[in-house]
Amino acid sequence: MKRGFNFSPGPGTLPLEVLEQAAEEMLDWCGTGMGVMEMSHRGKAFMSILNQAQDDLRELLMVPDNYKILFMQGGAVAENAIIPMNLLGYCAETPPIADYIVTGFWSDKSQKEARRYCNVNIAASSEGRHFTHLPRQEEWKLSQDPAYIHICTNETIHGVEYFWEPDLPGVGLPEVPLVADVSSHILSRPMDVSKFGVMYGGAQKNIGPSGMTFVIVREDLLDRALPICPSVFTWKTVAENNSMYNTPPTYAIYIAGLVFEWLKRNGGLKAMEKQNVAKAQLLYGYLDSSNFYCTFVEKDCRSRMNVPFFLHDDALNDKFFAGAESYGLLQLNGHSSVGGVRASIYNAMPLAGVQALVDYLRDFERIHG
Amino acid sequence: MKRGFNFSPGPGTLPLEVLEQAAEEMLDWCGTGMGVMEMSHRGKAFMSILNQAQDDLRELLMVPDNYKILFMQGGAVAENAIIPMNLLGYCAETPPIADYIVTGFWSDKSQKEARRYCNVNIAASSEGRHFTHLPRQEEWKLSQDPAYIHICTNETIHGVEYFWEPDLPGVGLPEVPLVADVSSHILSRPMDVSKFGVMYGGAQKNIGPSGMTFVIVREDLLDRALPICPSVFTWKTVAENNSMYNTPPTYAIYIAGLVFEWLKRNGGLKAMEKQNVAKAQLLYGYLDSSNFYCTFVEKDCRSRMNVPFFLHDDALNDKFFAGAESYGLLQLNGHSSVGGVRASIYNAMPLAGVQALVDYLRDFERIHG
């Protein structure tokens, strides 16, 4: 058994210790005589796993008391519909309107889905510059009375990350919630949850296996659902039932809980941020120094988690990926919509993995440059 | 490590061999250098896992070629909303109407959720007799033009199972699809898929971990969705993208695939049926012979998978459950809505487990009877 360094954008690499513990506990969790996958979700054993995972996530991210943490299903793509269904029931406009800031593939997908339920105002977009920068808040052309404002704080495909939190009271809209897809950089550094009405995402980047969705929602927003919202996706129902209105994805929650414990053991989000900064500097630093590779995202919004880059000579791509794989550098392909290379360097990727990638980049450039 | 016999209604016991293989492959699947949880869902490795799982399920259940097998999220409870959203777009009635046969907790929950989207006609109900029998098809009072007819073929809580498949062309409604929640007895025996328009359920009983939903849908029904149906839950979209429109619950699909392989190695559904009949006969046989325990479901519709029963003296329940646990007989509590005892004896429960339970029932009766 030889594990590679796995740069998948998600489902992505997980901490070795987490996987080892999961394997060890597979047949019998803590002397209960059964594995976690086989436990009734309403039994004492699983309830303790669920509650611990929620508490740890709250502690790590310093989630204020007036926010609920929900574990759901369907991923961020399902939430793209679930969000309007949960927030449009309280909107002065008829038909209701929601504002979207489009900064890449994922926020664009979000606004397209929302159009099933409301009018969408694209308050700002960086598409004209190929999603290589972030429109400043002063440039946002917000509606008069939107039901909410939606952003994606880290674009997994285009590699664009917000390093500032929008300050909505400053633009005179204290009651309009800011909704953020934080799928691919949650837990990579501290964030000020209180700036958001809703933070959501799929777990399969920095948290755990696919099939689990997290929603962190301010309590006063739980009364805004449309009647067409399915019960299992109505945040209020999920909150009132502590994420157990229906059977939750129990094993995914368990793995997420192990990841939260691993984060706590390793110094929490400040320590993660320090390591993530070091990893990103190492990789971007090399790319900037090279004329063989190129990146396009502006420096002030380059994602620390997802680093898309290109070989100047596209014809070398196949050779590049084959060589990488032979070095144990896995899943480096860029997304089909943009091509090129993408290194996703989530929390579970050690600095040594990024170093191995940079070493390979240098070798490949030396041979083919 | 001592594994008990686990009678949980779901998430439920899994085959030991499956868990052992999963534990062994946790860090490295087939020499890829990564675990299944860490694989991009669009990579070759996971695609092979997904396709094999679909093929094996099709083979086991003899799913005809004109049916699609979808792996989704949200469980059967989410499908209760997803079904009307997928089938009401084609209904002669305004507002549309759907017919429900109510035979226990779960079919009742299904019809309640459907009321968000359409008028519901309760075509038959066994509630008046406390869900202890199944209304015959001749008794169903169907609507003139329902969008579909919904049944639950095994009621996990009330322990009622259909051993006959409704024959809708016989009542003159060839174009009205029969929709069945088969969550808790799928793969326990062969079923004639062609009698159904849609079969669906959560995986966490006879298939695998919670967090995965299966939908087996006849292709001609894929064009009936309402525009409010979220993209990720629109069967046509899911089918066109081979269950990969969004990130699927990859690890749950992998475990399901291991269970399908286990079923094939062990003789498929005919062999399972034989063993399930033997297990049910052993348990019901003992209960029928006893004056200490009682069951209420009529003999012709007693579930082979979920056996609810009661001690005549309720006051002994706590002692009963504590004693069972000390014998390694786990998760026998009845559902909170009905109380008493429930033994769920899915495919992965060996005959030896049922024998151990019967031995305990006899001992307990001898001491307390």
Side-chain angles (χ1 to χ4, degrees):
Chain A
M1 202 273 307
K2 191 188 173 314
R3 279 174 62 80
F5 289 117
N6 176 356
F7 296 91
S8 170
T13 192
L14 288 168
L16 182 61
E17 291 167 50
V18 165
L19 295 174
E20 285 172 340
Q21 184 173 345
E24 201 180 303
E25 296 179 336
M26 181 69 81
L27 275 59
D28 181 18
W29 185 80
C30 294
T32 54
M34 55 192 166
V36 174
M37 250 182 253
E38 307 171 292
M39 288 175 183
S40 166
H41 52 299
R42 303 204 187 273
K44 259 186 299 185
F46 181 72
M47 283 302 301
S48 74
I49 291 171
L50 174 78
N51 290 330
Q52 189 66 50
Q54 277 176 340
D55 290 349
D56 285 345
L57 179 53
R58 189 175 291 276
E59 184 185 328
L60 282 164
L61 205 58
M62 294 199 293
V63 177
D65 288 345
N66 62 326
Y67 284 72
K68 296 286 189 191
I69 294 176
L70 314 180
F71 295 144
M72 299 177 61
Q73 295 183 53
V77 183
E79 286 296 325
N80 286 339
I82 294 168
I83 285 160
M85 286 199 277
N86 271 282
L87 291 177
L88 291 177
Y90 176 86
C91 184
E93 301 282 339
T94 313
I97 193 162
D99 284 1
Y100 279 74
I101 317 298
V102 176
T103 53
F105 182 95
W106 290 108
S107 49
D108 190 47
K109 196 163 173 116
S110 295
Q111 65 87 9
K112 280 178 182 147
E113 183 75 6
R115 289 174 192 271
R116 287 172 185 261
Y117 310 98
C118 62
N119 284 339
V120 164
N121 168 45
I122 306 293
S125 169
S126 60
E127 189 173 11
R129 285 161 65 186
H130 307 288
F131 300 127
T132 56
H133 82 300
L134 279 182
R136 284 171 297 121
Q137 189 179 326
E138 305 83 74
E139 300 169 49
W140 296 3
K141 293 192 170 48
L142 299 174
S143 312
Q144 190 68 30
D145 256 317
Y148 59 89
I149 299 164
H150 180 282
I151 63 176
C152 174
T153 49
N154 187 65
E155 291 277 359
T156 321
I157 290 175
H158 287 91
V160 177
E161 182 170 2
Y162 283 73
F163 292 102
W164 46 276
E165 278 130 7
D167 208 3
L168 288 179
V171 294
L173 291 164
E175 81 285 12
V176 177
L178 179 66
V179 177
D181 176 354
V182 298
S183 297
S184 51
H185 75 156
I186 188 174
L187 301 181
S188 69
R189 56 180 164 95
M191 291 180 85
D192 183 353
V193 175
S194 73
K195 293 281 175 68
F196 300 89
V198 183
M199 300 169 91
Y200 73 99
Q204 68 270 18
K205 281 92 163 61
N206 251 342
I207 291 185
S210 60
M212 170 184 163
T213 316
F214 62 88
V215 177
I216 301 170
V217 53
R218 215 173 57 219
E219 286 169 350
D220 63 289
L221 300 173
L222 294 174
D223 272 321
R224 302 184 177 193
L226 296 175
I228 56 163
C229 187
S231 306
V232 297
F233 300 124
T234 301
W235 294 335
K236 188 179 185 176
T237 305
V238 180
E240 284 173 351
N241 290 277
N242 192 25
S243 298
M244 302 270 272
Y245 177 74
N246 62 335
T247 312
T250 53
Y251 198 72
I253 291 171
Y254 157 72
I255 297 288
L258 296 184
V259 171
F260 299 151
E261 284 174 19
W262 175 82
L263 286 169
K264 285 173 69 181
R265 278 200 306 278
N266 286 279
L269 302 196
K270 283 192 180 159
M272 278 302 128
E273 179 170 36
K274 205 173 149 189
Q275 170 163 287
N276 286 327
V277 167
K279 282 150 53 184
Q281 283 179 346
L282 177 59
L283 182 50
Y284 285 113
Y286 179 72
L287 294 170
D288 286 340
S289 75
S290 155
N291 292 318
F292 186 79
Y293 306 99
C294 55
T295 63
F296 294 111
V297 177
E298 293 185 4
K299 289 191 177 178
D300 65 353
C301 56
R302 281 171 164 180
S303 171
R304 287 182 194 145
M305 295 287 103
N306 308 98
V307 183
F309 60 95
F310 299 83
L311 281 66
H312 275 292
D313 180 0
D314 255 12
L316 289 170
N317 279 1
D318 286 350
K319 205 167 275 183
F320 177 88
F321 292 122
E325 205 162 312
S326 74
Y327 275 63
L329 305 170
L330 309 176
Q331 306 199 100
L332 278 162
N333 310 55
H335 188 266
S336 56
S337 65
V338 295
V341 187
R342 174 171 45 162
S344 294
I345 50 178
Y346 297 125
N347 285 342
M349 173 61 66
L351 187 63
V354 180
Q355 187 61 61
L357 174 60
V358 167
D359 291 346
Y360 173 69
L361 293 177
R362 189 178 287 119
D363 285 355
F364 192 83
E365 178 172 355
R366 193 178 303 139
I367 297 167
H368 299 281
Chain B
M1 202 272 309
K2 190 189 174 313
R3 278 174 62 81
F5 289 119
N6 177 357
F7 296 91
S8 169
T13 193
L14 289 168
L16 182 61
E17 290 167 52
V18 165
L19 294 174
E20 285 171 340
Q21 184 174 346
E24 202 180 304
E25 296 178 338
M26 182 67 81
L27 274 60
D28 181 17
W29 185 81
C30 295
T32 54
M34 56 192 165
V36 175
M37 249 181 254
E38 307 171 292
M39 288 174 182
S40 166
H41 53 297
R42 304 206 185 272
K44 258 186 298 185
F46 181 73
M47 284 301 301
S48 74
I49 290 172
L50 174 79
N51 291 331
Q52 189 66 50
Q54 278 176 339
D55 290 349
D56 285 345
L57 179 55
R58 188 175 291 278
E59 182 185 330
L60 282 164
L61 203 59
M62 296 199 291
V63 177
D65 287 345
N66 61 329
Y67 284 72
K68 295 286 189 191
I69 294 176
L70 314 179
F71 296 143
M72 300 176 60
Q73 295 184 54
V77 182
E79 285 297 323
N80 286 338
I82 293 167
I83 286 160
M85 285 199 279
N86 272 281
L87 291 178
L88 291 177
Y90 176 87
C91 183
E93 301 281 340
T94 312
I97 193 162
D99 283 359
Y100 279 74
I101 316 298
V102 176
T103 53
F105 182 94
W106 290 108
S107 49
D108 190 47
K109 197 164 172 116
S110 295
Q111 66 88 9
K112 281 178 181 149
E113 184 75 6
R115 288 174 192 271
R116 287 172 185 260
Y117 310 98
C118 62
N119 284 342
V120 164
N121 169 46
I122 306 295
S125 170
S126 59
E127 190 173 9
R129 286 161 63 186
H130 306 289
F131 301 128
T132 57
H133 83 299
L134 279 182
R136 283 172 296 121
Q137 190 179 326
E138 304 82 75
E139 301 169 50
W140 295 4
K141 293 191 168 51
L142 299 174
S143 312
Q144 191 65 31
D145 256 317
Y148 58 90
I149 299 165
H150 180 282
I151 63 176
C152 174
T153 49
N154 188 65
E155 290 277 0
T156 321
I157 290 174
H158 287 91
V160 177
E161 182 170 1
Y162 283 73
F163 292 102
W164 47 276
E165 278 131 7
D167 209 2
L168 289 179
V171 294
L173 290 164
E175 80 284 13
V176 177
L178 180 66
V179 177
D181 177 354
V182 298
S183 296
S184 52
H185 74 156
I186 188 173
L187 301 182
S188 68
R189 57 179 164 94
M191 291 180 84
D192 183 354
V193 176
S194 73
K195 292 280 174 70
F196 300 89
V198 183
M199 300 168 92
Y200 73 98
Q204 68 269 17
K205 282 94 164 61
N206 251 343
I207 291 186
S210 60
M212 170 184 161
T213 315
F214 61 88
V215 176
I216 301 169
V217 53
R218 214 173 57 219
E219 286 169 351
D220 62 288
L221 300 173
L222 294 175
D223 272 321
R224 301 186 177 192
L226 296 175
I228 57 162
C229 188
S231 307
V232 295
F233 300 124
T234 301
W235 294 334
K236 187 178 186 177
T237 305
V238 180
E240 284 173 350
N241 290 277
N242 192 26
S243 298
M244 303 271 272
Y245 176 75
N246 62 334
T247 313
T250 53
Y251 198 72
I253 291 170
Y254 157 71
I255 297 287
L258 295 184
V259 171
F260 299 151
E261 285 175 19
W262 174 82
L263 286 168
K264 286 173 68 180
R265 278 199 307 277
N266 286 278
L269 302 197
K270 283 191 181 161
M272 279 300 128
E273 178 171 37
K274 204 172 151 192
Q275 169 162 287
N276 287 327
V277 167
K279 283 152 52 184
Q281 282 178 346
L282 178 59
L283 182 50
Y284 283 114
Y286 179 74
L287 294 170
D288 286 341
S289 74
S290 156
N291 292 318
F292 186 80
Y293 306 99
C294 56
T295 62
F296 295 110
V297 177
E298 292 184 5
K299 288 192 177 178
D300 65 353
C301 56
R302 282 171 164 180
S303 170
R304 287 182 195 145
M305 295 287 104
N306 309 98
V307 184
F309 61 95
F310 299 84
L311 281 67
H312 276 294
D313 181 0
D314 255 12
L316 289 169
N317 279 2
D318 287 351
K319 207 167 273 182
F320 177 88
F321 292 122
E325 204 160 313
S326 74
Y327 276 63
L329 304 170
L330 308 176
Q331 305 198 101
L332 278 161
N333 309 56
H335 189 265
S336 56
S337 66
V338 296
V341 188
R342 174 171 44 162
S344 294
I345 49 178
Y346 297 123
N347 285 343
M349 172 61 64
L351 187 62
V354 180
Q355 187 60 61
L357 174 59
V358 167
D359 291 346
Y360 173 69
L361 293 178
R362 190 178 287 118
D363 286 354
F364 192 83
E365 178 172 356
R366 193 178 303 140
I367 297 168
H368 298 281

